[in-house]
Amino acid sequence: MKKKGVTLVETVVSLMILMMVITMFVKIVRDYNININTRRIKERLNRLSYCVMNELKYNCTKEEIRLQSSNNKIGLKNYENIFDDLKNRSLLSLGRGNGVEIFFNNNTNDSLKIKVTIYEEGFIEEMEFVKWR
C-alpha cells in the first residue's frame, strides 16, 4: 500500500532545517549591523581627530594653545554637530568637556608636542604630532 501525504517526522525535520536557516540569517544580519555601527563610529573619530589636528597645526598659534590650557591639557565636548561648528568657529572657542582631550608639552621654544585623544561610545582615537609655529 502506498502512503500519500507527509509524515510527522518529515514535517519536524523540515521545520528544524528551516529554523536553523532562519537562526543563521538573524545572526548574520545582527553581526552586519554591529560592524556597520562600529565602522561608522571609527570613521567619525578618525575624521574628527584629523580635523582637530589640522585646526591646531594651521589655525592656532602655540601661544593661543598655551593660554587656553590648564595643566597642559585642553578638554572639549564631542557632540553631534562638532563638524559644523569647526567650519564656522575656532577650535579653541568650542565648549569645554571631556570628549576631545588635547595634551601637550614643551619640547623646545620652537616646537610643541601635541597628543589628541577622542572618546565616543567606548572607542578611542589618538593622534600625535609636533607643532612648529
Side-chain angles (χ1 to χ4, degrees), residues 11-27:
T11 305
V12 169
V13 170
S14 64
L15 285 176
M16 286 176 53
I17 291 171
L18 185 63
M19 290 301 288
M20 286 191 299
V21 169
I22 290 172
T23 303
M24 289 172 42
F25 178 74
V26 168
K27 182 177 177 2

Side-chain angles (χ1 to χ4, degrees), residues 48-64:
L48 184 56
S49 65
Y50 183 76
C51 290
V52 169
M53 179 189 72
N54 283 332
E55 278 289 317
L56 290 170
K57 269 186 178 179
Y58 303 114
N59 296 332
C60 299
T61 64
K62 289 187 300 184
E63 290 74 26
E64 288 175 336

Side-chain angles (χ1 to χ4, degrees), residues 44 75 118:
R44 184 180 188 283
I118 303 174

